[in-house]
Amino acid sequence: MDVLKLKEEFNKIYGEGEVRVFHSPGRVNLIGEHIDYNGGYVFPCALEFGTFGLVRERGDRKVNLASTNFDLKVSVDLDNIVYKEEDDWANYPKGVMKVMSDIGYRLSGMDILISGNIPNGAGLSSSASLELLIAVIIDTLFNGGTADRVELVKLSQKAENTFVGVNCGIMDQFAVGMGKKNKAILLDCATLKYNYASVELGDYTLVIMNTNKRRALNESKYNERRAECDEALSILQKETDIKALCDLTAEEFDKLEHLLTKENVKNRAKHAVYENERTKKAYEALNSGCIEEFGKLLKASHDSLRDLYEVTGRELDTIVAESLKIEGCIGARMTGAGFGGCAIALVKKDKVDSFMEQVKKNYKELIGYEPSFYLSGIGEGTEEIILSCK
Ligand code: GLA
């Protein structure tokens, strides 16, 4: 996206003057799926593409929100921030403003233009990207830019949970806010302790594949899975002293699983425990350069999300299965919440073009429409972009 063009667009909407520019990435999760809310390890990274935010202070109590992606423009009164269904995408920025103002951050009027490059509904966290963008803008413009970044991450998640009403875990906001160029983040969601890991894939590269199936029904299914995990946890807590499902090792789980008499509840819990172990192994594999092992773990993760957690669906299963059939691909899995959206594949660098061509053809034959592919490097977390010219 051309930032100078965006500035012109901003000036057209709001008039000439100084503009500050911020960027917030999307994210992709390498492995550790549906376990952030089970106290497990996740292994995401920020992407190079994301959401731009152009902003100018107004000096009053009004925030104007416009976007190059949607026609809808919304004006927010900072002294009366309420959720409105018709405000659609603007509820994400509004939620962050509300949460920040409630806990004592200073806020003042702004004109804002948002421009996103993250395909909507692809499961690459366009909403967390927008939330962190607004949080960092408010911190930088009105609060001296001194807020602890993890605090901004947590309050963005809170905005999504309490204002927008999506009961997501911490992973997306953490990856977006704490992302580092060329690094993935191994995050322990129970303690929020984290490690950056270099992503050295040797002869391989990561291909992001969008099924182009939008994640319909996603929220209700997501909440259903969370409830099933809570049910498993409360049953297991009668016999063992754990705070979250991922406190159990696979061995411990195997001894206790007979307590879970409902098949679906047992399967969800089993996925959580084993996925957590896989994530730790994947981190080790990457650190020691065992890319093939890393690929196998990706594949096992997908199998478990399909068979035990049941969050994949025909499109994701097809794209992953077709990917694995093609020479040069050593691992693939869905990423994010599932039920559509994106998958990732680990593919030999010199085979990427033929890989994409083949998968596109085969997927289209089976599903009826084409997937999209993104080759993104690993980008920085949310930041202000200082331009050398006005
Ligand atoms: C969504 C949620 C995350 C996480 C993933 C699944 O992206 O926002 O918190 O639970 O699904 O791993």
Side-chain angles (χ1 to χ4, degrees):
M1 180 68 67
D2 183 341
V3 177
L4 293 178
K5 277 223 176 80
L6 282 179
K7 281 194 161 185
E8 276 170 29
E9 186 65 28
F10 183 98
N11 288 340
K12 242 195 260 163
I13 303 172
Y14 297 116
E16 297 284 327
E18 286 288 320
V19 185
R20 291 174 79 166
V21 182
F22 292 77
H23 183 263
S24 191
R27 71 94 187 88
V28 74
N29 187 23
L30 299 179
I31 191 165
E33 215 64 85
H34 282 282
I35 54 173
D36 57 347
Y37 52 85
N38 284 313
Y41 280 90
V42 295
F43 200 19
C45 49
L47 295 170
E48 279 171 340
F49 54 84
T51 315
F52 283 100
L54 284 75
V55 57
R56 180 187 296 153
E57 291 184 42
R58 293 174 50 87
D60 58 8
R61 301 286 297 159
K62 192 166 147 184
V63 176
N64 290 318
L65 292 161
S67 162
T68 60
N69 305 87
F70 305 99
D71 289 337
L72 178 72
K73 292 191 175 67
V74 171
S75 251
V76 187
D77 170 5
L78 283 176
D79 298 311
N80 182 29
I81 309 172
V82 279
Y83 180 90
K84 285 189 202 143
E85 178 111 41
E86 68 267 26
D87 284 353
D88 196 49
W89 68 271
N91 281 309
Y92 293 93
K94 281 168 59 182
V96 174
M97 291 178 213
K98 172 84 174 124
V99 169
M100 289 183 87
S101 127
D102 284 354
I103 55 179
Y105 280 88
R106 283 184 298 276
L107 261 88
S108 178
M110 297 173 267
D111 290 328
I112 298 181
L113 176 66
I114 302 291
S115 185
N117 296 323
I118 307 171
N120 224 322
L124 300 177
S125 287
S126 54
S127 44
S129 175
L130 180 53
E131 288 155 4
L132 260 302
L133 181 75
I134 299 298
V136 170
I137 287 177
I138 293 172
D139 178 44
T140 310
L141 263 53
F142 309 118
N143 296 274
T146 52
D148 174 33
R149 188 50 77 91
V150 176
E151 185 179 316
L152 297 182
V153 163
K154 286 195 213 161
L155 64 82
S156 296
Q157 181 203 12
K158 188 169 176 202
E160 183 141 349
N161 291 165
T162 60
F163 195 85
V164 182
V166 177
N167 205 11
C168 63
I170 191 79
M171 173 173 76
D172 302 348
Q173 287 79 7
F174 203 99
V176 167
M178 297 292 289
K180 246 196 191 13
K181 185 130 194 72
N182 296 329
K183 307 273 183 200
I185 313 170
L186 182 74
L187 170 67
D188 177 351
C189 298
T191 60
L192 293 193
K193 286 197 180 126
Y194 59 95
N195 269 331
Y196 288 109
S198 294
V199 182
E200 307 285 352
L201 298 175
D203 293 342
Y204 292 87
T205 193
L206 207 62
V207 179
I208 302 175
M209 312 183 285
N210 189 349
T211 58
N212 286 328
K213 147 112 172 142
R214 285 182 60 93
R215 299 170 306 146
L217 278 180
N218 176 39
E219 271 156 39
S220 57
K221 287 281 180 201
Y222 186 88
N223 290 340
E224 193 181 294
R225 292 295 174 276
R226 288 198 68 151
E228 288 165 330
C229 288
D230 289 346
E231 191 178 335
L233 178 63
S234 59
I235 295 169
L236 296 174
Q237 277 172 332
K238 290 185 190 137
E239 294 286 322
T240 171
D241 186 22
I242 51 168
K243 287 202 179 59
L245 288 178
C246 293
D247 288 349
L248 293 172
T249 62
E251 225 174 47
E252 286 164 343
F253 177 81
D254 290 348
K255 289 194 189 119
L256 293 168
E257 73 172 316
H258 65 275
L259 297 170
L260 304 172
T261 49
K262 281 194 210 159
E263 191 70 9
N264 61 328
V265 171
K266 182 171 74 192
N267 286 346
R268 309 308 184 231
K270 185 166 190 171
H271 165 78
V273 171
Y274 277 76
E275 179 77 353
N276 193 40
E277 305 244 311
R278 272 190 293 272
T279 306
K280 290 186 266 182
K281 282 187 195 149
Y283 171 75
E284 295 302 332
L286 207 56
N287 259 348
S288 47
C290 301
I291 309 300
E292 307 241 330
E293 174 63 17
F294 186 71
K296 280 188 196 146
L297 291 162
L298 297 187
K299 191 178 165 306
S301 168
H302 186 88
D303 291 348
S304 175
L305 287 155
R306 183 191 60 219
D307 301 336
L308 298 179
Y309 218 70
E310 296 183 270
V311 288
T312 54
R314 197 162 83 89
E315 296 78 5
L316 280 167
D317 289 338
T318 301
I319 209 155
V320 165
E322 291 307 314
S323 299
L324 290 169
K325 283 181 196 160
I326 290 162
E327 200 206 326
C329 176
I330 56 164
R333 61 179 287 275
M334 58 153 270
T335 183
F339 309 108
C342 285
I344 53 175
L346 201 50
V347 184
K348 245 223 161 129
K349 277 179 186 153
D350 58 4
K351 296 269 191 306
V352 167
D353 287 337
S354 57
F355 169 83
M356 292 191 297
E357 211 172 287
Q358 280 287 320
V359 174
K360 189 194 228 169
K361 183 170 162 286
N362 299 351
Y363 180 87
K364 189 175 177 194
E365 264 168 34
L366 292 161
I367 300 292
Y369 51 85
E370 286 181 358
S372 312
F373 299 90
Y374 317 113
L375 296 169
S376 168
I378 300 179
E380 274 296 321
T382 312
E383 59 183 343
E384 181 166 13
I385 298 179
I386 311 289
L387 298 170
S388 45
C389 58
K390 278 185 197 165

